Amino acid sequence: KAGVTQTPRYLIKTRGQQVTLSCSPISGHRSVSWYQQTPGQGLQFLFEYFSETQRNKGNFPGRFSGRQFSNSRSEMNVSTLELGDSALYLCASSAIGGRGNIQYFGAGTRLSVL
Amino acid sequence: SQQGEEDPQALSIQEGENATMNCSYKTSINNLQWYRQNSGRGLVHLILIRSNEREKHSGRLRVTLDTSKKSSSLLITASRAADTASYFCATDPPNSGYALNFGKGTSLLVTP
């Protein structure tokens, strides 16, 4: 089975722009989670989708949004980029999500905001 | 928010030695997982231990869980240079919904 695929791998944007990141989960996985990783804050949970529904959201401003499509692929969008949004964005999929489920991570998208 | 705290933040050992990393957490949990991350890449799941388990083994990995102390340890025996990575513990407390709460990780360097 192919792993979790995230595109693009690297992205450079300027302040005020918006960005869309894409995640294709492992085939058959219905849960997709997104995390932001920075040196200062570590890994922070953004949101989780299951069958096109957002089930849980982390403590991030409304500029961060996401969605999941019927084929379980997911996108996250960040509008009005700020310098502090520079981070590695990781997507993870699991069969059904929830407690006790192993998450499989993609290689991440490294976003640099200038 | 960070639930787990790994200790030490950084660890440097030589090949063949054992590496021990600790994780402490704040609230009750259902499960605790350990993940590895090679430099700037995605995380790889290593092992999951449930709250009613005390010890678990997988190859060269040994994980212990002490729910009374709210702590876990990861032991890597006979370390190899390829074990060089950051190691994170992740918990799913009852109020976390479907999120994993990660610690800030232990950076392990194994030198030949």
Side-chain angles (χ1 to χ4, degrees), chain A:
Chain A
K1 271 187 182 178
V4 178
T5 304
Q6 290 189 247
T7 56
R9 287 295 316 281
Y10 302 93
L11 211 45
I12 300 175
K13 293 286 187 179
T14 56
R15 287 171 56 190
Q17 287 186 311
Q18 76 164 21
V19 66
T20 299
L21 312 182
S22 181
C23 173
S24 293
I26 291 172
S27 177
H29 284 191
R30 296 167 63 188
S31 168
V32 174
S33 298
W34 288 89
Y35 295 84
Q36 180 196 64
Q37 186 177 29
T38 59
Q41 298 298 318
L43 278 151
Q44 302 277 323
F45 171 76
L46 282 157
F47 25 65
E48 189 256 0
Y49 288 88
F50 180 83
S51 292
E52 301 178 69
T53 300
Q54 185 183 89
R55 292 197 296 192
N56 199 20
K57 189 176 191 302
N59 190 24
F60 278 82
R63 300 185 297 106
F64 291 82
S65 63
R67 59 179 176 168
Q68 187 180 34
F69 301 96
S70 58
N71 61 358
S72 292
R73 191 178 69 86
S74 177
E75 289 181 345
M76 68 162 280
N77 184 276
V78 188
S79 62
T80 319
L81 284 165
E82 299 177 0
L83 296 179
D85 297 333
S86 294
L88 180 66
Y89 289 87
L90 293 164
C91 165
S93 76
S94 65
I96 59 172
R99 301 189 180 91
N101 279 275
I102 295 167
Q103 296 201 1
Y104 297 84
F105 283 81
T109 293
R110 184 163 297 281
L111 172 65
S112 297
V113 182
L114 307 178

Side-chain angles (χ1 to χ4, degrees), chain A residues 9 33 35 37 39-45 48 55-56 88 90 97-103 105-108 110, chain B residues 1-2 30-31 33 35 37 40-45 48 50 88 92-100 102-104:
Chain A
R9 287 295 316 281
S33 298
Y35 295 84
Q37 186 177 29
Q41 298 298 318
L43 278 151
Q44 302 277 323
F45 171 76
E48 189 256 0
R55 292 197 296 192
N56 199 20
L88 180 66
L90 293 164
R99 301 189 180 91
N101 279 275
I102 295 167
Q103 296 201 1
F105 283 81
R110 184 163 297 281
Chain B
S1 61
Q2 246 76 41
N30 297 298
N31 308 279
Q33 302 182 48
Y35 286 81
Q37 183 179 36
R41 298 188 65 82
L43 282 74
V44 175
H45 179 264
L48 179 152
R50 303 195 187 280
F88 297 87
D92 52 359
N95 296 329
S96 69
Y98 299 93
L100 283 180
F102 285 88
K104 289 200 173 182

